[in-house]
Amino acid sequence: MTRAVVLGGGGVTGIAWEVGVLTGLLESGVDLYQAETIMGTSAGSFVGAALASGYDVNKLFADQLEPNPNEIPVSASKELMQAWYKAFVTGGSDPRKVGAEFGLIAKNNPPSVSPEQRRALVESRLVTKEWPQQLQVTAIDANTGHLHTFDHKSEISLPDAVSASGAVPGIWPLVSIGERNWTDGGMVSTTNARLAEGHQRIIILAPMPKGYGSIPGAVEEAEGLHTNADVYLIIPDEHSVAAIGLNPYDSTHCGITATAGREQGRSIAEAVRAMWE
């Protein structure tokens, strides 16, 4: 049986929640380290790098409880959110068109955060700079809208790939790699769980489970995988939703979000074990 863990996007609080859930599961004896494939999108790429490299999730949990001096206070303005909504309307059900629209948003709305500041933040969050073999990271080509998957064979650095995967249009700067510009892989799906097709057992962590416009949400993507696989979708419960709050980029919520995620992980551990093992 081949197994995959899919870690979706959701800002810095999404990182904290995923770390909390993984911690609660591990404390309850559910080990996800041995998955053949670990897929990360945006926030999930940071957590995926840690999980795939075998990093101690308890240490990662402890990090969520302490302020990271490199974190930068950001939020999506009303105007930016309207531009995002328009991108979904314009692109419709075609993910590539939606991705291209978000590429335009990224180009036309350069954030105040410099590439150097963003890079320092990315490296402060990453627990390794070495590519784990089972890790896959998604990002969108800002010119074509094509969703791309990076891995250890892609001949780019892990910090570059993770930076690209989390380059939220209008929030964080575009990432240039070679002659291409890249933006957030979560703009055409918060999980990109469909890329896990072919595995027999799939666990999906989706801090932001809703779909946007004609783009399916995590529930729809999970249902699409059920035909040929056992799938367990984990989304924030009511306590986790309250902890995350309204701004997923607010790092002051990381501690309470990680704690809520850990409790949620403990509460679902038996059901996850029954499917996973």
Side-chain angles (χ1 to χ4, degrees), residues 1-3 36 199-201 228-230 275-276:
M1 300 292 288
T2 57
R3 297 174 293 180
E36 283 78 8
H199 294 81
Q200 283 77 48
R201 294 176 182 172
N228 300 306
D230 292 322
M275 185 278 277
W276 189 246

Side-chain angles (χ1 to χ4, degrees), residues 8-225:
V12 68
T13 55
I15 294 174
W17 177 76
E18 290 179 347
V19 168
V21 171
L22 293 176
T23 303
L25 289 173
L26 187 61
E27 288 175 345
S28 303
V30 182
D31 181 0
L32 303 186
Y33 283 108
Q34 301 307 315
E36 283 78 8
T37 301
I38 296 173
M39 302 183 61
T41 289
S42 198
S45 64
F46 291 95
V47 183
L51 184 65
S53 66
Y55 190 79
D56 186 346
V57 73
N58 291 296
K59 291 182 180 179
L60 201 58
F61 179 84
D63 289 342
Q64 307 308 307
L65 308 182
E66 300 294 333
N68 179 350
N70 289 289
E71 290 293 344
I72 304 169
V74 294
S75 62
S77 67
K78 182 179 179 180
E79 294 74 18
L80 182 59
M81 293 182 71
Q82 289 175 340
W84 290 352
Y85 176 75
K86 183 179 179 181
F88 288 116
V89 172
T90 303
S93 60
D94 187 334
R96 185 170 294 193
K97 289 182 179 179
V98 173
E101 288 296 318
F102 275 106
L104 289 174
I105 291 173
K107 295 172 187 176
N108 295 332
N109 297 270
S112 58
V113 179
S114 70
E116 292 75 22
Q117 288 175 305
R118 172 62 176 165
R119 181 68 172 214
L121 172 56
V122 167
E123 293 190 355
S124 73
R125 290 178 182 172
L126 279 173
V127 300
T128 181
K129 293 184 180 180
E130 300 297 323
W131 266 107
Q133 288 196 5
Q134 68 268 50
L135 178 64
Q136 298 178 10
V137 172
T138 65
I140 295 171
D141 185 314
N143 294 320
T144 67
H146 176 70
L147 180 69
H148 186 79
T149 301
F150 295 114
D151 60 21
H152 69 286
K153 299 178 182 178
S154 298
E155 297 183 351
I156 69 167
S157 72
L158 180 61
D160 278 343
V162 172
S163 294
S165 185
V168 183
I171 298 289
W172 305 118
L174 281 168
V175 174
S176 296
I177 303 174
E179 298 180 354
R180 295 181 179 272
N181 291 318
W182 300 91
T183 192
D184 195 305
M187 306 315 290
V188 296
S189 165
T190 59
T191 64
N192 293 303
R194 63 191 181 281
L195 298 179
E197 187 174 7
H199 294 81
Q200 283 77 48
R201 294 176 182 172
I202 304 168
I203 291 178
I204 306 168
L205 275 70
M208 289 183 171
K210 294 182 179 180
Y212 300 97
S214 300
I215 300 298
V219 172
E220 292 85 355
E221 287 201 316
E223 289 175 348
L225 292 167

